[in-house]
Amino acid sequence: MSVSKLSKIETGKVTPSITDVDQILIALGVSDDVKAEYLKIAREQVTESVAWRELRRMGIHKLQEQLKAIEGQMTSMKVFQPALVPGLLQTHEYIRVILGRYGMTPDVLRRTAQARLERQGVLYDESKALKFVITEHVLRWRIVSDSRMAEQIDRIISLSRLPNVDVRLVPTAARQNDIASHAFVIRDDRTVSLETVHAKVVVTDPRDVAVYVQKFERFGVAALQGDEMRTALTGIRDEFLRQQETG
């Protein structure tokens, strides 16, 4: 945190985010009980929404760096994705194509892609429990070429074998009792972040967080997991490879 930002928080010119409060309490070295008390108050009072235009002005690569810091402190994460392959599971080519659609300059694109790749180091930290629930059509959405999509699916299969990583696939053929409204990320069952067309939103009220946790669990129950999930992914990958050969 910059000195100028800290000064604005101290003088009341800027309202601190949940992340700001967390960082300040860590820096002060307060006890776990005191930290929990202040964070509880902050979460109950704040639902943050930051327009993408503001984040672009700040630098999207800096947002990736901030997320890396947050993920370094968390102990668990639950990701629900009905639109794209989750960022932590994306290949370099997939990342570049996705980010390339946001009109970044070549330098910003390079730095942002590299920052997202560096975030993926959290996958290999066995002290963290990482769960991903993705819908089947995410893997059929042609973001990159057929061969690159096959590589992307292979990467998901490989990462799913890590002891602390749980990847589940919601098949399109399965009867659903819920609606896959939008993607969201739950960290430590305390905060939820989601992306709308115009803004990034962070939800911290425990009552609202519980709604997202329940939704994640409902889709997780309806999803394929383990070897059954990997078999389904292998089938989708092979379809891409056949299409590449006949194309």
Side-chain angles (χ1 to χ4, degrees):
M1 185 181 299
S2 67
V3 174
S4 62
K5 181 176 182 179
L6 184 59
S7 176
K8 290 176 182 177
I9 291 173
E10 290 175 335
T11 57
K13 295 179 180 178
V14 171
T15 300
S17 68
I18 300 300
T19 301
D20 294 333
V21 174
D22 194 39
Q23 289 178 328
I24 291 170
L25 293 172
I26 290 173
L28 292 175
V30 301
S31 68
D32 290 342
D33 289 343
V34 171
K35 181 180 177 183
E37 180 183 353
Y38 276 94
L39 285 176
K40 180 176 182 295
I41 294 170
R43 289 192 190 97
E44 289 174 347
Q45 294 182 350
V46 179
T47 292
E48 302 166 21
S49 177
V50 183
W52 286 113
R53 62 179 177 275
E54 295 297 326
L55 291 171
R56 291 191 186 98
R57 184 179 60 80
M58 177 187 75
I60 297 294
H61 64 285
K62 292 183 179 179
L63 173 62
Q64 294 294 316
E65 292 168 358
Q66 182 186 54
L67 289 173
K68 180 182 178 182
I70 293 171
E71 289 161 358
Q73 297 172 8
M74 71 183 185
T75 58
S76 70
M77 181 169 67
K78 299 170 182 174
V79 181
F80 177 68
Q81 245 309 352
L84 296 171
V85 171
L88 291 179
L89 305 181
Q90 293 174 0
T91 61
H92 184 244
E93 184 65 22
Y94 195 102
I95 290 172
R96 286 188 61 82
V97 170
I98 290 295
L99 295 179
R101 297 179 179 180
Y102 289 93
M104 301 179 186
T105 65
D107 181 58
V108 172
L109 174 60
R110 178 188 59 77
R111 287 191 291 171
T112 305
Q114 182 59 37
R116 177 167 290 186
L117 285 172
E118 290 175 359
R119 281 178 55 206
Q120 295 180 355
V122 74
L123 294 165
Y124 305 96
D125 184 344
E126 295 186 14
S127 69
K128 305 181 190 301
L130 310 176
K131 298 182 178 181
F132 302 85
V133 173
I134 58 180
T135 57
E136 181 179 339
H137 73 268
V138 165
L139 302 180
R140 297 185 180 278
W141 190 253
R142 281 176 167 76
I143 299 298
V144 291
S145 67
D146 289 346
S147 62
R148 295 295 191 180
M149 283 303 299
E151 290 176 3
Q152 175 61 80
I153 293 172
D154 270 335
R155 174 162 175 77
I156 296 173
I157 292 172
S158 175
L159 292 173
S160 74
R161 293 192 171 95
L162 293 174
N164 59 311
V165 175
D166 179 357
V167 179
R168 302 190 183 191
L169 179 71
V170 182
T172 55
R175 182 177 295 278
Q176 296 300 323
N177 298 313
D178 206 335
I179 299 174
S181 308
H182 53 74
F184 56 85
V185 179
I186 307 169
R187 294 184 175 88
D188 291 333
D189 286 354
R190 298 187 308 176
T191 64
V192 179
S193 60
L194 54 103
E195 298 176 357
T196 69
V197 173
H198 81 288
K200 176 181 174 63
V201 179
V202 178
V203 179
T204 55
D205 188 308
R207 296 165 297 183
D208 296 329
V209 172
V211 172
Y212 285 94
V213 172
Q214 291 167 9
K215 193 176 190 74
F216 182 87
E217 291 174 349
R218 283 195 295 269
F219 274 105
V221 169
L224 304 177
Q225 56 184 300
D227 289 338
E228 189 177 16
M229 178 275 300
R230 284 185 280 270
T231 297
L233 261 61
T234 299
I236 298 172
R237 178 205 62 191
D238 290 347
E239 288 182 34
F240 278 116
L241 293 176
R242 285 194 297 270
Q243 288 163 0
Q244 177 195 9
E245 293 171 358
T246 58

